[in-house]
Amino acid sequence: MAITLTLDYNNMMKEFIGEKEGFSPADFTAIEPELKAAFDTVQQNRGKGMQGWMDIIYDQENGIVQDIKETAAKIREKFEYFVVLGIGGSALGPTAVFQSLCHLHYNDLPKEKRGGPKFYVEDNVDPERMVALLDVIEPEKTCFNVITKSGATSETMAQYLVISEILKAKLGDKFADNIIATTDAKRGNLVKLVKEHGFKSFTILDGVGGRFSELSPVGLLPAAVLGIDISELLAGARAMDEHCKEADYKKNMGLMLAALQHVAMARGKNIGVMMPYTDSLKYIADWYAQLWAESLGKSVHKDGTPAFVGQTPVKSLGVTDQHSQVQLYAEGPFDKVVTFLAVKNYRKTVVIPEGCQDIPDIHFLSGHTMNELITAEQKATAYALTVANRLNYTITLEEVNAHSVGELLYLFEMQTAFAGELLNIDTYNQPGVENGKNATYALLGKSGYEAKKAELDSAPALRAEYII
Amino acid sequence: MAITLTLDYNNMMKEFIGEKEGFSPADFTAIEPELKAAFDTVQQNRGKGMQGWMDIIYDQENGIVQDIKETAAKIREKFEYFVVLGIGGSALGPTAVFQSLCHLHYNDLPKEKRGGPKFYVEDNVDPERMVALLDVIEPEKTCFNVITKSGATSETMAQYLVISEILKAKLGDKFADNIIATTDAKRGNLVKLVKEHGFKSFTILDGVGGRFSELSPVGLLPAAVLGIDISELLAGARAMDEHCKEADYKKNMGLMLAALQHVAMARGKNIGVMMPYTDSLKYIADWYAQLWAESLGKSVHKDGTPAFVGQTPVKSLGVTDQHSQVQLYAEGPFDKVVTFLAVKNYRKTVVIPEGCQDIPDIHFLSGHTMNELITAEQKATAYALTVANRLNYTITLEEVNAHSVGELLYLFEMQTAFAGELLNIDTYNQPGVENGKNATYALLGKSGYEAKKAELDSAPALRAEYII
């Protein structure tokens, strides 16, 4: 099946948003060599280094997908609750796909309508939230999916310690039946625990970083447990991969998106708003926010020269945030690009009934559908931004389904990979989080972090006059 | 009771984040006349024009609060579900306070533990979401709180038409018992419907715009239905109001926050991140995002000269988004101010148990509490940003409770009011949403919008070469 997404970037162009802010085809031809280099690098490095994420949409069909489906079927039969213990990509991906493809009030449905277990993603170490979770699940009836590539993620392993103690107290040696580990094949602590306790485990193949891991078992197991057709997700990703093999940037959505944002960033548009016009795609914007921010937010280029680049992703929701953010988008600084995610066919239709005949401000709605209303509002908002000379483009999904969501996830991964090459930075590292991590270790007295502790202790004393 | 919040802005100052990025006391003395003028204007206009929000924290004690409490008690007794139909401030405020002060999995609790009805806030017109809601509530056992000041909000009134038809079919003339209207006293369509059907209604007093309405019946009724002590919320707001009467900006948290952001904006920091370190305050950042964006995002000054000002609010969550956004905050462009919301005493404690003795990377956590872990991570992240020369400050709540949440809401309202004066813009209007609204009307064929329809029809045709 071919791709079903379309990208319309008319509203990025001079003809539509005016000379001053608009782009012209010449802006792309000016960077054609860079676009070609970015395309070649990404395609040639397929499967190498940290580009394993391009391989897994093919490779996992050899057994891994089948294993996930069989395991998911058993979980759906045996457990009442399924809890992901993970943070970052290990949480954002599963949440995004869950919201896209499951009932919007899934946990509130009776069991027979759900079909699968209640679903929670625990991506924080707030003690109030941990206690709240334990108030609403029955641990002995819960499958905990511990997801961490390194097995050293403090937040996830703190949760693991809490949960495994509770399970041991309730189930004794059988506690291992309630835990599934998703981790790296060889390195890391979680592999040790898998061997020691005999947890069922799934492997994240090589070259798949956290933010590129949704189409690995990180995302596929939770999705399968929720009854989502993971083969369709992968098929959608493969269709988009085929599409993105097109060398002409004018015909390659991933490369064109990277080009659009690259030109925009070069012109100081340091904010990228993503505004889906459906609740189902709300958390795709969250997942994208990590992918884009952590991949492109870098202080150095590949050659070590200073960069300090990166566009800040902003999550918005249509129509909701028209009543919160659009005033700023339309009248504030010219510092943004707005990505609309539009939907052609919603999976449900709601007719707005006849009523309030004597109140024209309400009655004009009668006879329309909510589908028409939300669609009109998306078009109207794009129009209003355009006439206010604000850069925006629209990605349209025919329908939100497993195939189109697979396309969308993979499209954004390709866009990010191309954009990283255009910026000439390392798309796949995250050195900027190390200092905070080490400071946490030092504050908690972890052995080996005595020097960092001394550094923290020697920081200048806070000044009372700067505290109110 | 005095305020319980503290503001620590050491990490905005040169001594801590270095000469280049840091502020000095001279940066504030340089704008002392503007700060004084902003302070005087806001305080002198208390209760006038659109500054009614400063009065309602006192005035409503005359009957309105009592009426809300009595009505809420009846709702808690009679109904199984409570659904807010509203958008913008009518939804963001109720959601923020709900998440702050109720159980984090409130709807999943059994009824006896909840005490009140299940709670939903419907702030979109996505047909999929409307159908999903109807799958999980029983309309005849549901109290719908229709909140719109003008009574002309298309999204909310579309929901009203759908819901009222369903209720009429089930309950006949008694359908009115399941609807409560919160609206303006005189103008607007909702008042007509209140009179026609005899809905119970609550009045939003004069001079209270949507984004400043959480401490009006807009927020107070849902809060009271959820069992929250609304008198404490208001007391917290009054305590903050007293605090913000201090003319010396060095002792006035609201004025100092406005000053810090004003100086930052003048230096090109066009992004304001709010990062609460607790799930309970997650949606305070959402509520603030509307308040700050819609109030300050303006194209003209008060005198009509071009402005194009406004800082884009970004919602983040600690520790969760350390694994998503902090890489960008630490290494990306120097374009941000990060506001940490820290909590001194979490309402629950979770000990991380003994375990994994042979894995030092995990075992160091044992014996600590999650409280210590999340607190260490907040301090470590602030430290890491500070040594990377990134502007940040911390607002600390002793504990999240009705009083401190009241303080926090009112603090941000004061900050916004002062900041609007410093920018010399109209803090209280939102002209930038009109064009999109009118285009929606035109697209749906509303009478009177024929000219707008003609304008839309005459827009240049999309170019196929800009579509992939």
Side-chain angles (χ1 to χ4, degrees), chain A residues 108 120 129 279 320 383 455, chain B residues 108 120 129 279 383 455:
Chain A
D108 291 354
Y120 296 94
R129 176 154 157 200
D279 280 89
T320 305
Y383 173 78
E455 178 193 315
Chain B
D108 291 353
Y120 297 93
R129 178 156 157 197
D279 279 89
Y383 173 78
E455 177 192 316

Side-chain angles (χ1 to χ4, degrees), chain A residues 23-100:
Chain A
F23 296 3
S24 72
D27 292 319
F28 306 124
T29 47
I31 57 165
E32 261 179 26
E34 290 89 339
L35 290 171
K36 181 171 182 336
F39 175 81
D40 289 344
T41 304
V42 170
Q43 289 296 357
Q44 285 160 12
N45 288 335
R46 171 182 295 269
K48 297 178 193 159
M50 288 308 289
Q51 281 185 223
W53 57 272
M54 297 179 74
D55 272 356
I56 57 172
I57 58 174
Y58 301 95
D59 293 356
Q60 295 175 135
E61 295 292 349
N62 283 329
I64 294 178
V65 166
Q66 195 50 38
D67 188 6
I68 289 173
K69 286 183 179 175
E70 286 166 14
T71 304
K74 284 182 206 154
I75 292 167
R76 285 168 68 85
E77 201 168 302
K78 183 173 170 190
F79 291 103
E80 299 290 324
Y81 311 88
F82 186 82
V83 176
V84 170
L85 304 180
I87 195 164
S90 305
L92 294 163
T95 302
V97 169
F98 166 62
Q99 176 89 357
S100 299

Side-chain angles (χ1 to χ4, degrees), chain A residues 7 28 34 39 66 87 96 114 144 175 215 230 255 307 311 352 364 382 413 418 429 432:
Chain A
L7 165 66
F28 306 124
E34 290 89 339
F39 175 81
Q66 195 50 38
I87 195 164
R114 258 188 284 119
F144 294 92
F175 88 99
L215 297 169
I230 60 173
L255 191 53
Q311 190 187 51
I352 304 171
F364 82 98
E413 291 178 354
F418 290 135
N429 67 359

Side-chain angles (χ1 to χ4, degrees), chain A residues 407-425:
Chain A
E407 291 177 47
L408 194 61
L409 295 170
Y410 197 82
L411 171 63
F412 289 141
E413 291 178 354
M414 289 301 294
Q415 172 194 355
T416 303
F418 290 135
E421 292 305 320
L422 291 172
L423 286 173
N424 188 31
I425 47 93

